[in-house]
């Protein structure tokens, strides 16, 4: 069975996640509005890490009525915090903190807390949750997030509103899926159009590969990899490298540095001579560039050369699961 990125998370990790949303913070000067706020991308990232068993959002809902329907679809419990004589926002923050701490002590099976806010006022809560052995994931819009809160989290995921181009692309994808079974003529036209589009995309990709600027690996990544390889005497699982990078920079994302996947980043490191990738069975590992060749496993000894070739090509993008658990 081919191990996909999502499958690897769910098979190897049984996290129970509690999600708390400081909703006013997420839709104030962030590019989001209460009407267009989309929780789906955040839920997708969290579901890769485990099961979201608790979902609450806090604010004065009389001000954000048009967001209720969307949040209800995701099973989010809406906690209404009417404005006080001083500040309704502070009231919502305090209620969120109290509920999070109560859940921390009363529900031991919940091992991960996700706080959707960029407010540095939640730093004390972050420290207390981590002190009690809980993993903390932060979620917020980058431009409206305090660096202090980012550093207080184990991992930080940046949210961003979808652009009009992305929405149009998704709409066209749905329309293309709906038109695949519309008859013989439509099918032939779709196939012909798909072939032409694929040919154009291939030429475009080749042109970008030949003319596009070379993406450089950040020096901080090189340092982390070199230190890990210096401390190990054998092979190193690529997921451990990602774990170390995220622990050093909770908001680390290889896409921010021009790499579409962590596999691409490892490939660039190999080209620069920082590491060497080796395969054992169907799994790829990382070793120092001057490491001796590995002894073949019994499984690999029984395979012919023809059988090995397609496996390497097939698994190139799928055997590097992004990490979640700590060492």
């Amino acid at each position: 069975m081919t191990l996909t990125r999502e499958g690897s998370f769910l098979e190897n990790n049984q996290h129970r996640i509690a999600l708390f949303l400081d909703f006013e913070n997420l839709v104030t000067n962030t590019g989001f509005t209460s009407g267009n706020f989309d929780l789906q991308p955040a839920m997708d990232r969290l579901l890769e890490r485990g099961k979201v068993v608790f979902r609450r959002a806090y604010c004065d809902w009389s001000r954000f009525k048009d967001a209720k329907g969307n949040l209800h679809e995701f099973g989010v419990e809406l906690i209404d915090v009417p404005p006080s004589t001083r500040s309704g926002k502070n009231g919502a923050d305090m209620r969120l903190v109290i509920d999070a701490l109560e859940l921390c002590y009363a529900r031991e099976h919940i091992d991960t807390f996700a706080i959707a806010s960029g407010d540095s006022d939640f730093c004390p809560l972050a420290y207390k949750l981590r002190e009690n052995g809980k993993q903390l994931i932060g979620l917020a819009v980058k431009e409206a997030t305090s660096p202090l809160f980012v550093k207080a989290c184990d991992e930080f995921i940046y949210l961003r509103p979808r652009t009009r181009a992305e929405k149009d692309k998704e709409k066209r994808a749905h329309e293309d899926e709906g038109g695949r079974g519309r008859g013989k003529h439509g099918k032939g036209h779709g196939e012909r159009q798909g072939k032409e589009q694929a040919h154009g995309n291939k030429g475009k990709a080749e042109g970008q590969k030949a003319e596009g600027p070379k993406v450089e690996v950040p020096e901080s990544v090189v340092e982390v990899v070199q230190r890990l390889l210096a401390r190990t005497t054998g092979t190193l699982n690529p997921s451990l490298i990602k774990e170390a990078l995220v622990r050093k920079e909770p908001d680390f994302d290889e896409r921010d540095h021009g790499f579409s996947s962590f596999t691409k980043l490892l490939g660039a490191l190999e080209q620069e001579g920082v590491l060497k990738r080796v395969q054992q069975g169907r799994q790829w590992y990382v070793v120092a560039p001057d490491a001796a060749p590995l002894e073949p496993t019994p499984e690999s000894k029984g395979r012919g050369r023809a059988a090995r070739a397609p496996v390497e090509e097939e698994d190139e993008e799928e055997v590097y699961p992004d990490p979640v658990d700590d060492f």
Side-chain angles (χ1 to χ4, degrees):
M1 179 182 69
T2 301
L3 188 62
T4 63
R5 178 178 177 180
E6 291 79 2
S8 65
F9 280 138
L10 298 181
E11 289 177 11
N12 298 332
N13 303 282
Q14 296 298 324
H15 292 294
R16 295 295 182 266
I17 303 172
L19 171 62
F20 293 85
L21 295 97
D22 177 13
F23 191 77
E24 183 176 350
N25 180 275
L26 296 176
V27 296
T28 302
N29 300 323
T30 61
F32 284 112
T33 65
S34 57
N36 72 4
F37 181 78
D38 186 6
L39 188 59
Q40 187 65 60
M43 289 298 298
D44 290 342
R45 299 290 296 272
L46 293 177
L47 290 173
E48 291 175 351
R49 289 150 176 78
K51 187 175 183 180
V52 183
V53 298
F54 185 95
R55 311 171 187 186
R56 277 186 183 176
Y58 301 78
C59 75
D60 176 12
W61 292 109
S62 64
R63 298 175 53 198
F64 304 103
K65 295 180 180 180
D66 49 352
K68 291 183 176 181
N70 183 32
L71 294 174
H72 277 309
E73 292 180 1
F74 290 94
V76 177
E77 181 182 1
L78 306 183
I79 305 300
D80 188 32
V81 185
S84 63
T85 55
R86 296 182 61 185
S87 172
K89 180 179 183 301
N90 289 340
D93 291 354
M94 293 179 64
R95 179 66 184 275
L96 189 156
V97 170
I98 292 171
D99 288 353
L101 289 175
E102 180 181 11
L103 197 69
C104 172
Y105 294 114
R107 300 288 186 269
E108 294 184 358
H109 66 284
I110 296 180
D111 62 354
T112 304
F113 284 72
I115 308 297
S117 176
D119 196 340
S120 61
D121 290 345
F122 289 110
C123 287
L125 172 63
Y127 301 145
K128 181 59 65 174
L129 291 173
R130 296 177 67 181
E131 178 184 328
N132 283 273
K134 308 299 183 182
Q135 183 179 8
L136 184 62
I137 301 174
L139 305 98
V141 177
K142 187 171 186 177
E143 292 75 15
T145 299
S146 167
L148 295 176
F149 186 54
V150 173
K151 295 298 183 182
C153 298
D154 293 298
E155 182 179 359
F156 207 94
I157 300 172
Y158 288 122
L159 308 176
R160 62 182 181 88
R162 288 189 299 174
T163 63
R164 181 179 296 275
E166 291 173 332
K167 293 179 180 179
D168 292 342
K169 182 179 179 180
E170 182 178 348
K171 183 178 179 181
R172 288 195 299 269
H174 287 301
E175 291 176 351
D176 292 342
E177 291 178 359
R180 287 177 181 174
R182 293 180 180 176
K184 186 175 181 180
H185 176 73
K187 181 178 180 182
H189 176 73
E191 290 178 350
R192 183 170 60 254
Q193 184 179 11
K195 290 179 180 179
E196 293 174 354
Q197 184 177 2
H199 179 72
N201 290 340
K202 181 178 179 182
K204 183 179 179 180
E206 291 177 350
Q208 291 177 344
K209 183 176 181 181
E211 301 176 2
K214 181 181 178 181
V215 181
E216 295 185 359
V217 180
E219 187 63 29
S220 59
V221 175
V222 175
E223 292 177 358
V224 169
V225 173
Q226 289 177 337
R227 289 173 184 170
L228 289 175
L229 291 175
R231 288 160 46 192
T232 185
T233 57
T235 59
L236 185 64
N237 193 309
S239 64
L240 299 181
I241 298 176
K242 184 68 177 287
E243 287 176 356
L245 291 171
V246 171
R247 280 198 296 270
K248 183 178 180 180
E249 301 177 20
D251 58 346
F252 175 81
D253 191 332
E254 60 274 1
R255 292 171 296 182
D256 294 337
H257 302 287
F259 299 95
S260 59
S261 67
F262 193 62
T263 302
K264 301 293 186 183
L265 176 59
L266 292 177
L269 287 168
E270 185 175 27
Q271 290 181 356
E272 294 186 7
V274 178
L275 56 82
K276 182 168 61 175
R277 292 181 293 175
V278 294
Q279 186 177 15
Q280 286 186 333
R282 294 178 62 86
Q283 176 67 53
W284 286 89
Y285 293 93
V286 171
V287 296
D290 56 351
L294 297 179
E295 295 183 2
T297 61
E299 182 182 359
S300 61
K301 287 181 179 179
R303 294 177 181 174
R305 183 174 182 180
R308 287 197 302 268
V311 173
E312 294 177 359
E313 180 179 356
E314 176 187 357
D315 291 342
E316 178 67 21
E317 296 295 336
E318 297 179 333
V319 295
Y320 293 116
D322 288 349
V324 177
D325 289 335
D326 289 335
F327 289 92

